[in-house]
Amino acid sequence: MRIGLIGTGRIGSFHAGVLSRHREVGSLVVADTDAARAVETADRCGATAAPSADEVFAWGVDAVVIASATAAHADLIARAARAGLPAFCEKPIALDLPGTLGALRAVEQAGTELQLGFMRRFDAGYTAARELVRSGRLGRLHTVRAITSDPAPPPAAYLPLSGGLYRDCLVHDFDILRWVTGREIVEVYAAGSDGGPAMFREAGDVDTAAALLTLDDGTLATATATRCNGAGYDVRMELAGELDQVAVGLDDRTPISSTEPKGLPPVDNPWPGFLERFAPAYEAELDAFIRLVQGEAENACDGREALTALRVAEACELSRRERRPVRVEEIPAG
């Protein structure tokens, strides 16, 4: 199989390494707007560097992996669809609903496949939690708590391009909450704080956010995120039911300690970032995509799933601005 990879930044470079090692990938073509970075990535993993994305499509590939800057995602998805190629794309499809809907229409009209990069669906802890919920082991869920905390803010130049904390960061929590529980989010009440570095206020963003989410069966969930968690990278989910409760992401590298005499001690080697924490999940999602391309598996995260998570993020932004609960149905679905 010949795979085209567009984008060789931090996550694209990681994907290049995974794809170059995959037993079903015979050759890998990589491209980036920074041609030197593409060559460096290709040299490191035994791939071929293309001068631009145009050559990736022209040179004949069986599928495309998109890890470019967010602004290019929708166009590249549409190009892959018009070329009849299945595509894997890092989230988001686009930073707004019109761009997302346009790319999804192109995929539907072409009848091709689009898998979105919500890697938490491939994490062992979240998978186990999903099985426990679906089996009834926890009983009726009454409370879910989702946490995403980055150890340090991103570069200031990234913030205006990110879409904001809800769309860029919490969208993962919105997706995995739906996937684990099997329920839909119907209402949100969100707030944010910009008390951190001035660059967040200058970008019209917040550095810390919280949302109260109501699911369609009445279960209450909270989702919090921050860019300023100096203790380390912390992604967790707690699920509490009438029979039992469990936690995802609580291990010997979780950057949290207890003040109790016999509680958890401080960790020596906290997770530094998402690539380290979710490396196995990133590999698993690309393996699932390759099996999808080969016709051996169903789409594990169809593009429409990204639209659903984005609508929740949009509802949170509206709630934050207007300081009111927002029904997700207020956000257009098409």
Side-chain angles (χ1 to χ4, degrees):
M1 181 184 300
R2 185 175 174 87
I3 300 289
L5 170 66
I6 302 173
T8 57
R10 181 164 56 158
I11 188 62
S13 178
F14 183 89
H15 287 334
V18 172
L19 291 167
S20 67
R21 296 190 301 269
H22 198 284
R23 63 188 180 279
E24 299 296 338
V25 177
S27 61
L28 177 66
V29 179
V30 303
D32 195 284
T33 53
D34 183 338
R37 187 165 66 180
V39 170
E40 179 183 350
T41 299
D43 289 345
R44 188 178 65 254
C45 63
T48 301
S52 71
D54 292 339
E55 282 76 17
V56 172
F57 288 103
W59 288 358
V61 294
D62 299 302
V64 177
V65 172
I66 300 167
S68 62
T70 296
H73 285 187
D75 178 65
L76 290 170
I77 289 169
R79 287 188 67 178
R82 291 193 296 270
L85 296 173
F88 172 94
C89 185
E90 281 299 328
K91 66 84 189 164
I93 293 175
L95 292 179
D96 57 19
L97 286 168
T100 300
L101 292 168
L104 290 175
R105 279 194 296 270
V107 172
E108 290 170 1
Q109 290 168 2
T112 54
E113 294 281 2
L114 170 63
Q115 181 182 326
L116 257 292
F118 283 117
M119 76 292 186
R120 295 187 195 180
R121 293 181 177 218
F122 299 87
D123 178 72
Y126 284 107
T127 299
R130 185 177 193 260
E131 293 171 355
L132 288 171
V133 171
R134 304 301 178 89
S135 71
R137 287 273 303 279
L138 304 184
R140 180 189 66 86
L141 280 182
H142 51 76
T143 309
V144 184
R145 306 175 191 92
I147 298 168
T148 294
S149 300
D150 287 334
Y158 173 77
L159 293 178
L161 309 175
S162 71
L165 193 57
Y166 295 102
R167 300 185 190 93
D168 180 52
C169 187
L170 277 166
V171 71
H172 278 291
D173 297 275
F174 302 149
D175 177 73
I176 202 63
L177 177 62
R178 297 177 55 247
W179 188 77
V180 168
T181 65
R183 313 305 307 192
E184 294 297 334
I185 300 167
V186 296
E187 186 177 82
V188 308
Y189 193 15
S193 168
D194 61 3
M199 64 182 183
F200 290 98
R201 294 184 291 280
E202 294 166 358
D205 196 5
V206 295
D207 59 75
T208 302
L212 172 63
L213 314 168
T214 302
L215 308 190
D216 59 10
D217 64 347
T219 300
L220 295 180
T222 58
T224 63
T226 184
R227 302 283 199 187
C228 304
N229 195 58
Y233 183 72
D234 187 9
V235 171
R236 284 178 282 134
M237 175 180 279
E238 299 171 2
L239 299 110
E242 291 182 336
L243 300 180
D244 202 357
Q245 61 180 343
V246 294
V248 179
L250 188 60
D251 62 17
D252 60 359
R253 297 190 68 182
T254 304
I256 190 169
S257 58
S258 173
T259 59
E260 298 299 327
K262 296 183 180 180
L264 295 172
V267 298
D268 296 327
N269 185 28
W271 293 110
F274 64 90
L275 277 179
E276 294 83 2
R277 164 66 177 85
F278 288 108
Y282 280 116
E283 295 199 29
E285 70 177 356
L286 287 178
D287 182 67
F289 176 62
I290 290 169
R291 288 187 286 113
L292 171 67
V293 174
Q294 293 178 319
E296 298 175 354
E298 297 294 321
N299 195 331
C301 189
D302 183 81
R304 283 279 164 185
E305 300 293 298
L307 173 62
T308 303
L310 176 61
R311 290 178 66 221
V312 177
E314 293 285 345
C316 285
E317 283 286 3
L318 181 60
S319 176
R320 180 177 72 89
R321 290 196 306 270
E322 299 188 356
R323 296 179 178 272
R324 67 174 178 90
V326 173
R327 300 283 296 182
V328 177
E329 64 189 17
E330 295 181 42
I331 308 301

